[in-house]
Amino acid sequence: MDLRYSESDEKFRAELRAWLREAVASHGSPPPHHDWPARHAYDTGWQRKLYDAGYAGIHWPREYGGRDASPTEQLVYYEEIARANAPYVGINFVGLLHGGPTLIVEGTPEQKRRHVPYILRGEQTWCQGFSEPEAGSDLASLRARAERDGDDYVVNGHKMWTSYAQVADYCELLVRTDPDAPKHKGITWLIMPMDLPGIEIRPLKTIAGEGEFSELFLENVRIPVENRVGAENDGWRVTNVTLRFERGAAFASEMYQLREHLAEIKAVAGRVTRHDATAWDDAALRREVGHLQAELDALWAMVKLSVSEASETGVPGVGSAAVKLFYTELAQRISDVAMRVLGRAGLSRSDVAELPNGRFLEKMLMSLNLTIAAGTSQIQRNIISERILGLPRHR
Amino acid sequence: MDFRVHADQEALQQGIRSFCEGRIAIDQLRELEEKDAFDRGLWNQLAEMGIFQLRLPETAGGLGLGCADAVLVFEELGRSLAPGPLVWSHLAAPWVDGAGTGEVVVGGLDLIGAAPQPILIEHWAHLDVLLLLRPEGVFRVDPKALEARPIATPLDPLTPVHHVESLPPGERLAEAAVAHRLWLEGAALVSGQLLGIAEAALELALDYAKKREQFGRAIGSFQAIQHLCADMFVRQEVARAGAYAAGATLDHPEVGDLERAVGSGKITAGDAAMKNARACIQIHGGMGYTWEVPAHYFLKRTWVLESIFGTGDEHAARIAERVESGT
Ligand SMILES: Cc1cc2nc3c(=O)[nH]c(=O)nc-3n(C[C@H](O)[C@H](O)[C@H](O)COP(=O)(O)OP(=O)(O)OC[C@H]3O[C@@H](n4cnc5c(N)ncnc54)[C@H](O)[C@@H]3O)c2cc1C
């Protein structure tokens, strides 16, 4: 139970911090959300900078160009990225956090050669075509159909909620190859190039008013058989590899970022007025902010505990469902406080009265998807009660 | 950084746990309830296990361990609802002769926390020494010199209390800085106890949820019950991280903001114990409202522990002043 970082970790931190100071300043501020070409350039450009400096694929094996950082160094990395307010993975998130890692574990040598180095350099972006209108939490009930025709699979189906589809070069696509087998046994994992004929992308307008995710309509899309990852009908196993990466340390940087957000909320509360005092003069608000900070500190300690466990086992601790559940609900509670501090200024999504409304509201709206994406809170509770606590299955 | 509980610590914790399971199981607690919650023999055994002199240097007869280790030990004492002024006697070991070996039973009052009134002294009848933590220092008082009125019906049946009207100045043992340090240490140890209570409440609830049947199946198969249990688990894990970090930061203050780490432990462990104890009662249905099911002991002890070394609200107000960018 020792929280002291080693000398080599501190050295890593100092170097990274110095590099970030310069790199973040020279990269400029992020483009507006609706400007997709600019976002693509901004996020992939940042990835290239990381690559050139030796910080790309912090958790990737060295033989694939990654840094193979120890779990503790990864933690330092997430802390520093958040502290420097540096861009995080952005539109590269699927490729970097789970697409690439899945190929490293499950892909053929040829698949690795064609994708892995490009993902790392920010030259290939990926999206995830898992969910469908009828297959969300119950992902294994997916229906998109793939039929073998010579050296191709011919795919027909409808995918939902595909984040960043409009800027992706490739898609992690789940299809049904055996409709007669039990639902977990007839699924196949394919690499779909997004420029194939027959793919139609229809952006969906989110709560935030943006087209962050899309529907994909697939009509007779011919995907070469060589793009299959793992065996035919063995896609559910591969999917679990992908999901394990997705649910790993992916949130760490955003978690740490919340601390900065809370500090900023406090600063704003000291500036907004309520009658003849400031919002921060309200003891009830101060107590609530203190309570949230206590929970954030414990959350980060929880991450440290699971990172320490991962140092031995190599996989994120069983606690990750608990971390996800706690973090996502905490983020929403913090956003609630931000809104109450803004008061009427919260009616505007653009900054007014020299307040950071724009960013605060953005965060608040985004926080609402945290408890839905990557396994809803209810699904996390099911996982905890059945797999960790051993309660009888309810079905 | 290696925040895991390492093998020595696990062994230490396991030793305390097996002792508690054998010596203060629930039936033995019920007997203690009839004996004013104090058993000299038990006290001596706890002392022999080193609970009070855990952190004294080996040259002074102690085990030379740190606060993180002590938090783990107090987690077990909390889990088993071990009664008596355990934290106070542990804190007193370097200051009061005989406290470490258990010969002298030391209780205390936290007068740094914001609400010392009315003055209720826990376990007064069995105390040899009473410590007062004041903002200006640590003071020693002879408890028998106080005019103490017994409270016939304490909230926690295992924490008898006496009411006194006023306190003498006492003999000064240490300065303000020491008082403050002891206050933080006390908060961390109590966080350990609260974590233990949160764990015990979940364990008891799970046991019942797997056994009790309604509508032809175990109630633990109902999603409403499952999700109560899942939330209990999450709170327990948050509290574990919070309380352990408090201990680890006391041992090495350079790793963070000590006040914030200790407050985080006290707040999250207090929340976990309180809410888990309530959920445990709820999951037991009508049985949960009976004296027989020990769920109420968890809740009642939690209120005792919540009230000392800073309530959750007090720590929250203190932490609010320390919320800052870059920390
Ligand atoms: C911002 C965002 C980005 C996303 N990006 C992608 C992406 O890039 N690629 C992709 O494939 N998917 C993506 N998703 C989809 C996401 O994975 C699904 O939304 C999620 O798995 C839930 O599925 P659903 O929306 O169909 O909801 P449903 O599964 O229909 O759930 C509806 C409600 O029922 C509850 N529920 C369902 N089953 C149970 C159960 N067994 N027990 C208790 N309650 C239950 C849920 O908790 C929820 O409250 C994204 C989602 C969001 C919000």
Side-chain angles (χ1 to χ4, degrees), chain B residues 240-251:
Chain B
R240 180 190 315 290
Y244 289 3
T249 309
L250 277 160
D251 286 338

Side-chain angles (χ1 to χ4, degrees), chain A residues 48 75 133 143 149 163 236 243 282 302 318 337 341 384 386:
Chain A
R48 179 71 206 202
L75 196 70
R143 294 177 188 173
D149 180 25
S163 301
W236 187 249
L243 294 178
D282 174 3
M302 216 174 164
V318 285
V337 174
V341 166
I384 291 171
E386 287 170 11

Side-chain angles (χ1 to χ4, degrees), chain A residues 93-94 127-139 159-164 206 212-213 246 369-379 382 394-395, chain B residues 223 227:
Chain A
F93 87 97
V94 171
C127 63
Q128 180 184 54
F130 281 14
S131 306
E132 297 180 4
E134 304 300 328
S137 300
D138 183 11
L139 180 59
K159 292 287 170 179
M160 282 292 271
W161 323 121
T162 317
S163 301
Y164 307 145
T206 68
E212 296 285 316
F213 51 32
E246 182 174 3
N369 79 44
L370 297 176
T371 49
I372 299 167
T376 69
S377 291
Q378 288 68 40
I379 295 299
N382 291 348
H394 56 271
R395 260 165 279 117
Chain B
Q223 213 174 40
H227 287 194

